[in-house]
Amino acid sequence: MLKIEKNMLQFMQEHPNLKYVFFGGKGGVGKTVLAGAAALWFAQQGKYTLLASTNPVHSLTSLLDQDVFGKPTPVKGVPNLIAYEIDTKDTIERSKKEIREKIEWFLKYADIKTRADEFVESATMNPAFEESAMFENMVDLMFKDEYEVYVFDTAPTANARRLLGMSSVYSLWVDKMVESRREAQALRRLLSFTKREEKDPLMEYLLNFRDRINRAKALLTNAEKTAFFFVTLPEALPIAVIRRFINWFQDFGIPIGGVIVNMMIDRNAVGDNPPEFVLNRIAAQEHYLKLIEELFNGMVRAIIPLYETEVRGVEMLKRTAKALFGE
């Protein structure tokens, strides 16, 4: 069995100021369950905790057996724990409205006689628009600073990478936009009859937006406050996914908290004469556990067993939290 050099509890003790905790990985590996278990554990430590889903395909309501969609909702039976499935549709519609207002203002400022509709459609049909809207919503939650700990159940890793990497991408984009806007202002002044300084709401927006992005980036890259945990099964494909994505997250400067191995079959729990099918699965898992040790040496924080029933409801989450934190 793989030796864990530093378990989840030890990691948390070394990072007492941890505030933003993310769980991600390939689809179907148990991200929601482990995010829920971690959030429950923080709440049990007396920390006012938000468990939020940024995954467009939400699972928190099913996990908790109560409706947490659309607004922060106290979790029954767990003091200090609030759960929230972010309403992607509302977020997108709000972002569309804001973009429309900005485009209409820009067209009016530039004295361009056309409707904003096609520009709005063009801007919001971008495949990354949903992630962009979700990023804005996530940042709003972080900036409100209403909770002591935020645990985010993210979308499958590729989406999570785009979501969290947006602070870096936005930084480059907004710097370029500010530079272009300054050049446009200089040209406008040069061609204008009046040398009077004009108010420029677009420049004000860009500067405010840059401040907001820099602030978000500072939080997301702060190793004392932020950690991203990758969840994998002892199987080839989930391991390959996180092997590739760990390097990409490091490129964005997002601190890696570690790797959690989920759904490991306990050899001692299957009895003396298990079916051949079970023995084959156990042998395969042990093979991949060696690969995990080789690839993620020192980064594995916990190995969670495959339970006799699905993890659903608070009682099963408590059981999973004990396994996650080695208590």
Side-chain angles (χ1 to χ4, degrees):
M1 179 63 80
L2 184 155
K3 183 182 177 185
I4 296 177
E5 293 180 11
K6 185 184 296 178
N7 66 25
M8 198 72 167
L9 185 60
Q10 290 168 319
F11 182 88
M12 294 302 166
Q13 289 169 343
E14 287 183 4
H15 297 78
N17 298 319
L18 203 62
K19 185 162 185 167
Y20 308 107
V21 182
F22 296 84
F23 283 84
K26 186 178 175 298
V29 297
K31 299 182 294 293
T32 303
V33 165
L34 293 173
L40 182 143
W41 183 84
F42 280 115
Q44 287 178 325
Q45 309 311 304
K47 296 196 173 185
Y48 191 45
T49 303
L50 177 70
L51 168 61
S53 168
T54 61
N55 189 343
V57 185
H58 298 298
S59 301
L60 287 185
T61 288
S62 298
L63 174 71
L64 298 169
D65 273 338
Q66 69 175 96
D67 185 4
V68 299
F69 180 75
K71 63 178 181 180
T73 306
V75 176
K76 295 173 185 171
V78 187
N80 299 317
L81 182 57
I82 308 296
Y84 177 26
E85 289 179 340
I86 298 172
D87 186 346
T88 312
K89 188 178 174 185
D90 269 5
T91 302
I92 290 173
E93 289 305 314
R94 190 167 60 250
S95 292
K96 280 185 178 180
K97 181 172 179 289
E98 290 172 358
I99 285 178
R100 173 180 293 281
E101 289 170 356
K102 290 181 180 67
I103 290 176
E104 285 177 343
W105 177 87
F106 177 76
L107 293 176
K108 184 179 176 184
Y109 183 79
D111 199 23
I112 298 174
K113 308 294 183 189
T114 187
R115 289 170 59 82
D117 292 15
E118 59 185 78
F119 291 96
V120 174
E121 281 302 311
S122 173
T124 57
M125 289 298 285
N126 187 312
F129 183 74
E130 187 167 332
E131 277 97 352
S132 170
M134 190 62 80
F135 176 80
E136 289 294 314
N137 207 318
M138 183 185 79
V139 169
D140 283 342
L141 284 173
M142 294 166 72
F143 285 178
K144 281 182 183 174
D145 201 21
E146 295 176 330
Y147 303 88
E148 293 175 89
V149 177
Y150 295 74
V151 179
F152 290 100
D153 169 29
T154 70
T157 303
N159 300 62
R161 171 182 172 264
R162 285 204 299 270
L163 180 73
L164 301 184
M166 276 182 178
S167 60
S168 295
V169 175
Y170 271 152
S171 291
L172 297 173
W173 175 80
V174 77
D175 284 346
K176 191 70 181 172
M177 287 295 291
V178 167
E179 183 185 332
S180 297
R181 192 63 191 166
R182 283 185 173 140
E183 289 174 2
Q185 283 178 328
L187 186 60
R188 186 182 174 92
R189 279 195 297 272
L190 191 65
L191 298 176
S192 175
F193 290 112
T194 174
K195 299 305 176 189
R196 188 180 61 197
E197 285 290 329
E198 290 182 285
K199 187 177 179 183
D200 186 348
L202 185 56
M203 179 59 94
E204 287 179 14
Y205 164 76
L206 287 172
L207 294 176
N208 288 334
F209 186 65
R210 184 165 68 179
D211 288 344
R212 176 179 165 86
I213 291 302
N214 287 340
R215 198 174 150 204
K217 189 176 179 182
L219 290 179
L220 289 172
T221 56
N222 185 335
E224 289 304 308
K225 291 189 172 181
T226 298
F228 192 100
F229 291 92
F230 286 92
V231 182
T232 185
L233 304 181
E235 296 176 3
L237 293 183
I239 292 171
V241 166
I242 64 172
R243 183 185 185 188
R244 189 166 66 249
F245 279 89
I246 278 179
N247 291 333
W248 287 357
F249 272 70
Q250 287 172 333
D251 287 344
F252 281 132
I254 297 167
I256 307 296
V259 173
I260 313 296
V261 183
N262 196 20
M263 300 186 196
M264 189 77 192
I265 299 173
D266 182 359
R267 181 180 278 274
N268 297 322
V270 298
D272 295 330
N273 297 300
E276 188 176 350
F277 162 78
V278 176
L279 289 174
N280 287 341
R281 290 303 302 259
I282 290 174
Q285 288 196 340
E286 288 176 348
H287 163 74
Y288 286 117
L289 209 56
K290 288 179 183 173
L291 181 62
I292 288 170
E293 183 174 24
E294 182 183 320
L295 293 175
F296 312 120
N297 185 28
M299 295 184 70
V300 177
R301 303 280 174 251
I303 299 174
I304 310 299
L306 176 65
Y307 294 108
E308 68 282 359
T309 181
E310 68 176 319
V311 178
R312 194 173 177 191
V314 168
E315 292 310 310
M316 280 303 291
L317 268 186
K318 287 179 179 175
R319 192 173 165 192
T320 308
K322 284 184 179 178
L324 181 59
F325 289 90
E327 296 176 330

